[in-house]
Structure formats: C-alpha cells, structure tokens
Amino acid sequence: MSYSLPENEDDRLETLRRLHIYGTSPERKFDQITDATSSALGTKYAAVNLIFADRQWTKAACGIDMEEAPREDSFCARAVASGDMLVIEDLSADEEFSENLFVTEPPHLRFYAGAPLIVEGAALGTLCVFDEEPRSLTKADRELPEDLAGTTAELLEARLQNYQVRYLRAVLEQVDEPVSIVGSDPDNLTDMEVTWVNLSYAMSAPEGETPVGKSPWIFRELEEGSQARSEVQSALRESCRLRGETRTTRPASRSRSGGESRLGNGGDSPNGKSQVPPRRPGEMPHVVAWLLAPVRDEKGQVTHWVTVHRDITDQKIREEELEHKATRDPLTGSRAHPFAANRECRRSAMDACVEQCIFRR
C-alpha cells in the first residue's frame, strides 16, 4: 500500500457502507454538478469520486468514462487523507504521481484539483477536475469546486437519511397501531411536521385531514399550558422518549380491515366511516395512549421522531368499573369506609373483578 490513510479511516468506511451507494446507477443531480464544475473551470474532465478501502469508485464523471481504479493509483486518495483541497498544477512534475498510469498513459493527465466531500466529519471522496495540460487555479477558481463539493456532500447526507427512513417505513408499515414519522429534529411541539404515516394513522386522523405536513393530531389536542404539553416540549428539547395520554371526544382509530377494531373502538361501516360515535356530553372521552420516541443514527444524532398511539378507552372503562366495585358498598352504592370490617369481602370482590377482566371472552 503506497497511500496514506486518514486518522478516522474506520469511521469513514463505515459511513460509506451506510450510504449503500457503491455500484449504483448514475443520478442526474451528481451529473449536473460535474458538468457545471467542468464548464465553469474550463477543464476537460470532472468527476465525483468516492474512496473505498481498496479502490476509487466514480459516482459521476464528465468528459471521460470512468468506473473505478485501485486506491493506490488515485489522486483523490491523497485529498481524502489530508481532508483539504488538493491542487497539483503539473502531475508529471509531482514526486508521488509522476509515474502514475493516468499520467504516463492515456489520457496523459497533467492537472488535478480535488475538493473533499465531508460527510459526518469524514472525507468520503472528492469533487475533482483534471486536464491534459498543466494549469493553475486562482483563489476565486478554488472557491467554486469547494462550494460545489459542499453541495455534493449534502446530497450524500440526504441519501444517508433517506435510506434510514425507507428502512424505517418498511418496518413501521407492518405495525397495526397508528404510527407517524416526524421529520428532522424539532425544538418544540409547534415545529413538529409529519413526513410519513402508516395506513392506521391515516385512518385515525381527523376526518378530511391530510396528516402529512402537520403536527401529530394527538399532540394538537393537548391543552395550552397543560402539564402533558410541557412534558412533550421537554422531551423534544432533551431528545428523550415519552409516554402519555390524550383525551378526545372522537374515536382515535378505525380498523384497516373493516372488522372489529384492533384498538378496541369497534369496526368500520361499509362507507369507511367509523361506527364508533363521538362521545356525548357526560360520557367518558376517548383516551389515547401514545409514545413519542427519537430515532437516532449510528452516530447517536436524532434524525427523526416516531409517534405511536392506541385507543385505551375500553381499558379505562374497565378500570373504573373495577374501582367502583372494589370501593363501593354492593347494596347501597355508597363509598365504603377503608377500615370497614368487611375489607376482606371487598378484597374478594376485587379479585373476582380482576379475574373477570382478565378472562373475559
């Protein structure tokens, strides 16, 4: 091996692995960047090269048909090792590259300039230009590839996040409970913006509402100044998971299949409307249990948030019934004194209620 390695080589290769980009087809956005760089600087060739463990792989190229080359023959490998822009005005006079195959054989390169692509703190490759004639770059000339290298790095970072989200969606689509993905990392509740929902969530959203682009409805119904709302705000600021409950006067879900709801709310009518009516005044409101959890990348940084919710109204009703039977006199209905002599009788009644709830068919 005749090339230097950057200090963060292991992390750099891990980031490349997570990109899942090696061997992928050409993409217009990368092609446009190489075309623009070559045209602006007046060079014959330009490329987006990524440096893997033992090879250089070309994602996009202008003016030349390139796929990959050994890392030891790569000019870009030196730029990656330094992490800075590399300019070689005459390759034939450079001690390291004067005998390089790209210099001694066609296309007989003489000039090279490469700006590193920094993603997650590591140089993954370069946006580079090269030519068959020696030349130099002015300060203004150097700024262009550096700026476009930043744009290229942003495309790679977006690819990292998109791959993670695609995988996350594939998993969450199989979940029966309503699930949403909130994009980026909002600082507070009002900044939350849903970017994807599964089918169950779409069916649980307020009638006629398109969930994507809005904050999760289960949080919009939290009262201003309430403790629950404050806890959500704190969880977002501190990037920690949180469980809670929201009370609402309407059903929290509708079944996917049209049969009995998985969430205890009954089924759907043939026209797709929920058969469970909104709660009337005086009735117990629907109670929705929810989970808010951050999604972190392999560096531990929060990239998205996930919400999951489930209607637990029936469970709450059973708990109230159980509490009533355990604490009320069965004959008068009045609250029994906690130190009454029939405590054991009430305990037996409570045990019977628990058994009934657990084994109810």
Side-chain angles (χ1 to χ4, degrees):
M1 181 179 68
S2 59
Y3 50 85
S4 301
L5 295 177
E7 294 182 358
N8 59 349
E9 176 71 358
D10 290 342
D11 291 340
R12 195 187 68 80
L13 292 177
E14 175 61 18
T15 302
L16 280 169
R17 183 194 66 78
R18 290 192 289 113
L19 270 175
H20 299 275
I21 197 172
Y22 179 78
T24 56
S25 301
E27 297 178 47
R28 184 180 179 186
K29 291 181 179 179
F30 291 99
D31 292 337
Q32 289 175 331
I33 289 175
T34 56
D35 291 347
T37 307
S38 173
S39 176
L41 294 179
T43 59
K44 190 173 182 178
Y45 311 113
V48 171
N49 290 328
L50 300 176
I51 305 301
F52 290 83
D54 59 353
R55 71 195 67 187
Q56 167 187 288
W57 179 74
T58 301
K59 175 59 181 173
C62 171
I64 191 171
D65 185 15
M66 296 177 61
E67 290 188 5
E68 59 182 64
R71 185 171 178 175
E72 60 188 15
D73 293 334
S74 170
F75 310 131
C76 298
R78 187 200 288 186
V80 165
S82 68
D84 297 320
M85 184 167 179
L86 173 66
V87 178
I88 305 176
E89 297 182 354
D90 187 352
L91 289 164
S92 65
D94 184 85
E95 181 178 349
E96 181 177 350
F97 293 118
S98 60
E99 299 300 321
N100 187 282
L101 291 178
F102 291 104
V103 177
T104 60
E105 298 180 9
H108 297 290
L109 297 179
R110 291 296 180 267
F111 170 75
Y112 170 88
L117 307 175
I118 307 297
V119 177
E120 295 187 348
L124 304 187
T126 71
L127 169 63
C128 61
V129 292
F130 38 102
D131 213 327
E132 298 164 359
E133 299 294 334
R135 59 176 296 175
S136 59
L137 292 181
T138 65
K139 181 179 180 181
D141 288 338
R142 295 173 65 102
E143 290 177 353
L144 177 69
E146 289 177 331
D147 290 343
L148 290 178
T151 301
T152 307
E154 290 175 359
L155 292 177
L156 296 175
E157 289 175 345
R159 183 184 182 89
L160 276 176
Q161 290 198 8
N162 289 340
Y163 185 85
Q164 181 185 35
V165 171
R166 287 198 301 271
Y167 178 80
L168 190 62
R169 288 178 180 178
V171 173
L172 297 180
E173 190 60 65
Q174 309 306 314
V175 177
D176 288 336
E177 283 78 8
V179 179
S180 74
I181 297 177
V182 176
S184 69
D185 186 14
D187 293 327
N188 56 66
L189 195 152
T190 56
D191 290 338
M192 298 181 74
E193 184 174 306
V194 172
T195 59
W196 176 88
V197 298
N198 67 352
L199 180 59
S200 294
Y201 186 102
M203 297 176 70
S204 78
E207 187 172 351
E209 175 179 296
T210 301
V212 174
K214 300 180 176 65
S215 60
W217 70 263
I218 52 175
F219 299 139
R220 295 203 303 270
E221 298 203 5
L222 296 176
E223 294 182 5
E224 288 287 347
S226 66
Q227 180 179 350
R229 193 177 183 91
S230 298
E231 289 175 349
V232 172
Q233 300 277 32
S234 297
L236 292 173
R237 287 194 300 269
E238 298 170 11
S239 299
C240 60
R241 61 188 294 159
L242 178 68
R243 294 181 183 273
E245 294 179 1
T246 296
R247 291 176 177 260
T248 176
T249 58
R250 60 183 181 77
S253 69
R254 297 194 291 272
S255 168
R256 291 189 188 186
S257 62
E260 184 177 353
S261 170
R262 295 176 174 85
L263 305 182
N265 269 341
D268 290 346
S269 63
N271 63 5
K273 303 296 184 181
S274 172
Q275 292 179 347
V276 183
R279 311 302 279 182
R280 293 187 295 272
E283 287 187 320
M284 181 177 184
H286 287 277
V287 183
V288 183
W290 48 260
L291 168 68
L292 173 66
V295 178
R296 302 178 186 274
D297 60 21
E298 297 187 23
K299 299 290 186 180
Q301 300 298 314
V302 176
T303 59
H304 297 80
W305 288 78
V306 168
T307 72
V308 185
H309 67 264
R310 179 166 58 91
D311 193 303
I312 58 171
T313 308
D314 289 349
Q315 174 186 329
K316 289 292 186 180
I317 291 174
R318 288 196 294 270
E319 289 176 357
E320 287 192 358
E321 291 174 349
L322 184 62
E323 174 70 15
H324 181 86
K325 291 180 179 179
T327 59
R328 300 281 177 169
D329 186 284
L331 296 178
T332 65
S334 60
R335 183 174 293 276
H337 193 280
F339 301 107
N342 63 346
R343 178 189 300 168
E344 292 301 323
C345 293
R346 292 201 310 278
R347 181 179 293 119
S348 298
M350 185 172 183
D351 291 342
C353 291
V354 171
E355 182 177 350
Q356 181 182 6
C357 289
I358 293 176
F359 296 104
R360 177 182 295 174
R361 296 295 181 183

